[in-house]
Amino acid sequence: MPGVLIVEAIAQAGGLLLLTEVPNRDEMLMVFTGIEKARFRRPVVPGDQLRIEVVVKAWRMTAARLEGKAYVDGKVACEAIVTCRLVPEPWPRAKRRPQAIQSKKNL
């Protein structure tokens, strides 16, 4: 599995963890903003089971810093610090108009 996909999985797991704490999550969007100290310790091959653990290092209602580790057979395969930002969704789901969505598909 390419390292970029492992880091993406860490970021998505962290985003899911954080969104449970956001009261108006239907109107917000979690945006991945950076990777720091990414280390790839061993390859991940087809058939491996990847276990992802994420720890929140810093959290404000607008941004977060997360430390994630991906394990295969109890050994670290990848570790990284990811940062993300919480921004208002440009077109909140509750306020979308069906015709606006249809016209975007036709572009």
Side-chain angles (χ1 to χ4, degrees):
M1 179 178 203
V4 67
L5 293 180
I6 299 171
V7 173
E8 174 70 22
I10 290 170
Q12 286 191 21
L16 183 64
L17 173 69
L18 293 174
L19 281 177
T20 61
E21 301 297 318
V22 178
N24 59 341
R25 63 181 158 265
D26 290 340
E27 300 169 5
M28 303 302 280
L29 186 65
M30 186 71 67
V31 181
F32 180 54
T33 58
I35 307 168
E36 298 172 21
K37 300 181 183 177
R39 299 286 181 261
F40 304 96
R41 306 290 182 193
R42 60 180 297 197
V44 178
V45 296
D48 284 347
Q49 183 178 15
L50 195 65
R51 189 182 86 235
I52 299 171
E53 294 181 4
V54 179
V55 176
V56 179
K57 291 296 189 178
W59 167 240
R60 287 187 252 152
M61 287 308 284
T62 57
R65 181 186 210 76
L66 311 161
E67 181 179 6
K69 291 184 180 182
Y71 296 89
V72 173
D73 295 329
K75 297 177 185 170
V76 176
C78 174
E79 55 189 318
I81 295 174
V82 295
T83 54
C84 56
R85 192 159 176 87
L86 197 61
V87 297
E89 190 170 342
W91 298 281
R93 289 179 200 104
K95 297 179 182 177
R96 288 184 187 166
R97 293 191 334 246
Q99 57 271 62
I101 293 171
Q102 288 296 327
S103 65
K104 287 176 78 175
K105 287 182 183 177
N106 297 332
L107 294 178

